[in-house]
Amino acid sequence: MKAQRKHALDALENLGFRAQRSKLRQLLHEREFAVFDAYRGVLKAGRIGNATPQSIEELAASLDPSSPTHERVEQREITTNARQREVQAFGPRKRALQLFVADLIRAIHPPRANQYLFHGGIPAAIAAVEAAYQRGMTHAVELDVKAFYDSIPFAFLADVLRPLPKAVVRHVVFDETIRVRPLSASTTIIRRAMVPAPLNETQGIPLGAATSPIAGEVIVGQLLAAHEIDYGPDIITYADNLLVLGRSEWEASARAEHLTDVAARPAYGSLRLRLKERGHLLPNGTSSGGGFSSGVIFAGQFGSVDARGVFSWEPAPDRRLQHQIADGEVCPTAEQIDKALRRVSAFHRAYPKWREREQREARDRAMLTSARYLRLATPENLSVATRDIALACLLNRQSSDIPELVPDYGPMYDGKRQRLLTEAGHLLDRIFAQDTAAEQAA
């Protein structure tokens, strides 16, 4: 069934507008693959453990993308890159419909080649930046869309997603059933009342819906396709992050300003682009003025190029700081330290082209395990912290780094801190002595 479904969607992509509209209506009406969509909805909603073949078939029979779906929706707060956001968590019925419609949208409105959310993600996006650099694009301006999902009007969305029927846009992509939260309802219920949305609440698509990312890509893609934008290949996007490239400070700035003006027009959704960062990829001292700093920031990645033309991509400063909890004036709790330690390896693995990734990971780990020993001075914590400090010093080739790797939280911790410094120093002395002896023997 999965292969048949893919074949049907692939065929849809190659049809003209009228033929697409006819085929869409057929797929929406006949629901040939409803059981597959129902299974995916149950799986993505985290309900697969309680599902049975019968319950999935019953769910499939009830799916109707052209009508409202009144199902419990939870509001959840998540933290991504030190930023807290509220997202909606959907049940299996809404999730199944969203996944089905999202696939239809991707088939009739495939993202452009320079939109990388669905074309290889961050690795492909930064590879595109490197390729642009080889073409002489040395300056960049990063923009993003202010309140992107919250600011999309229904009428504009329905027009952009044509030939997807307006009813499907209204009830699945826009989802009017979650427009308001009744005062009498639980705080975890966004909407239970079965009434139309009020007239003054006609904007926004749900954050957390499976349809929202591809709908956003279609809107950004329409902007990139604007005939006023003749430098389209020199814009690289990842979701609502747009990197505008140029051969000089003036060209990159002028293009970014022009793109901002075009995006603000109603024909493109009245998008409010805002400046985030401006940077260049030239050797230090060769670019001045215009507020361009050395290095380019894009989608949380900081890119720089050395004298040999080799790129390094590391976390942007704001992302790096969120993992350095041991740097503060107060010793973190054991729970905070353990949480940071669980994340530090995965965090660094997310930046495989970071030139100093291993050294930075070793330093971050050493500071965290040192803080854990200062918080709880057990022999095991002392041994682990001593080992991590030694490893960080060896990778950075500097034994003088030891005091920098052991946080100073004030007089209360002085005794434990001094013991850790002493133990780490003795371990490094033994290592260096063994290395010297081995070299002499050789």
Side-chain angles (χ1 to χ4, degrees):
M1 182 179 290
K2 185 177 181 180
Q4 293 174 330
R5 188 176 187 278
K6 183 179 185 302
H7 178 74
L9 292 172
D10 289 344
L12 185 63
E13 181 176 345
N14 298 319
L15 298 176
F17 182 86
R18 290 187 177 181
Q20 273 188 346
R21 183 173 59 184
S22 176
K23 184 62 176 178
L24 273 173
R25 294 186 184 279
Q26 178 186 342
L27 290 170
L28 289 163
H29 177 70
E30 295 180 359
R31 302 294 289 115
E32 180 181 355
F33 308 106
V35 173
F36 178 76
D37 295 318
Y39 171 79
R40 285 204 304 167
V42 172
L43 183 66
K44 294 296 184 180
R47 310 284 182 84
I48 197 67
N50 299 322
T52 65
Q54 181 181 354
S55 67
I56 291 176
E57 289 180 1
E58 290 174 352
L59 175 60
S62 71
L63 296 178
D64 181 4
S66 299
S67 300
T69 301
H70 300 283
E71 182 181 47
R72 178 188 177 97
V73 180
E74 293 184 356
Q75 190 89 336
R76 295 179 181 173
E77 191 175 83
I78 64 170
T79 302
T80 55
N81 303 318
R83 184 178 65 171
Q84 290 186 335
R85 298 184 299 170
E86 285 191 346
V87 302
Q88 288 83 50
F90 296 91
R93 180 171 283 103
K94 283 183 179 290
R95 185 62 77 186
L97 289 168
Q98 291 167 5
L99 291 166
F100 170 53
V101 173
D103 287 344
L104 293 179
I105 295 173
R106 284 191 66 180
I108 60 177
H109 297 291
R112 298 173 66 82
N114 55 338
Q115 293 182 266
Y116 290 96
L117 182 61
F118 295 102
H119 285 156
I122 290 292
I126 63 177
V129 176
E130 295 181 16
Y133 172 77
Q134 298 299 327
R135 300 197 311 269
M137 299 296 159
T138 54
H139 290 72
V141 177
E142 185 187 27
L143 307 169
D144 73 353
V145 185
K146 184 177 180 180
F148 186 26
Y149 285 3
D150 291 338
S151 62
I152 299 173
F154 169 73
F156 172 75
L157 183 66
D159 185 62
V160 167
L161 296 181
R162 294 173 63 224
L164 193 68
K166 185 176 291 187
V168 177
V169 178
R170 183 184 302 278
H171 298 306
V172 180
V173 185
F174 195 70
D175 200 346
E176 285 190 341
T177 65
I178 61 172
R179 292 296 99 191
V180 296
R181 188 201 308 271
L183 295 177
S184 60
S186 163
T187 56
T188 61
I189 307 297
I190 295 179
R191 182 181 173 86
R192 302 178 76 177
M194 297 184 184
V195 295
L199 294 176
N200 63 341
E201 296 198 24
T202 58
Q203 298 196 150
I205 56 177
L207 186 61
T211 47
S212 294
I214 185 59
E217 288 292 273
V218 175
I219 292 170
V220 172
Q222 180 184 249
L223 172 64
L224 299 181
H227 65 85
E228 299 97 330
I229 308 296
D230 59 359
Y231 44 89
D234 297 329
I235 305 173
I236 297 168
T237 79
Y238 180 79
D240 63 341
N241 297 281
L242 298 90
L243 192 70
V244 183
L245 298 152
R247 293 178 175 82
S248 65
E249 296 167 356
W250 178 86
E251 185 174 59
S253 295
R255 287 177 168 183
E257 291 174 6
H258 180 227
L259 183 66
T260 300
D261 291 340
V262 174
R265 299 174 188 173
Y268 302 105
S270 301
L271 302 178
R272 294 172 292 169
L273 300 188
R274 59 183 174 184
L275 173 68
K276 291 186 69 178
E277 302 288 345
R278 294 188 290 186
H280 67 80
L281 296 169
L282 295 173
N284 289 334
T286 59
S287 181
S288 60
F292 281 71
S293 57
S294 180
V296 167
I297 294 179
F298 178 50
Q301 304 257 346
F302 176 80
S304 59
V305 60
D306 63 17
R308 299 169 299 160
V310 177
F311 271 82
S312 175
W313 290 93
E314 60 189 73
D318 58 333
R319 293 196 175 184
R320 191 184 303 171
L321 288 174
Q322 64 182 293
H323 298 279
Q324 297 176 348
I325 64 170
D327 286 353
E329 297 180 358
V330 179
C331 185
T333 66
E335 182 181 1
Q336 290 172 327
I337 294 169
D338 288 342
K339 182 179 179 181
L341 281 168
R342 287 194 297 270
R343 297 177 60 184
V344 69
S345 293
F347 173 71
H348 287 81
R349 283 198 302 271
Y351 300 88
K353 302 192 73 172
W354 187 358
R355 190 180 299 118
E356 300 177 352
R357 178 170 63 93
E358 290 184 352
Q359 294 92 323
R360 293 295 310 191
E361 181 178 350
R363 290 180 66 88
D364 288 349
R365 185 174 294 279
M367 294 192 70
L368 287 168
T369 54
S370 295
R372 183 167 63 184
Y373 169 72
L374 297 177
R375 169 60 68 179
L376 183 62
T378 66
E380 180 183 0
N381 286 346
L382 176 62
S383 175
V384 172
T386 301
R387 177 203 66 194
D388 288 346
I389 290 171
L391 178 60
C393 289
L394 291 170
L395 284 174
N396 288 279
R397 304 181 185 278
Q398 291 188 37
S399 59
S400 60
D401 283 352
I402 293 179
E404 298 178 8
L405 297 173
V406 182
D408 185 355
Y409 297 126
M412 182 185 303
Y413 298 91
D414 280 351
K416 291 183 282 188
R417 185 173 188 271
Q418 188 55 51
R419 183 179 181 187
L420 181 53
L421 290 171
T422 301
E423 291 290 332
H426 287 165
L427 176 58
L428 278 171
D429 288 342
R430 293 197 297 271
I431 293 172
F432 291 143
Q434 291 173 0
D435 286 347
T436 301
E439 289 176 359
Q440 291 175 347

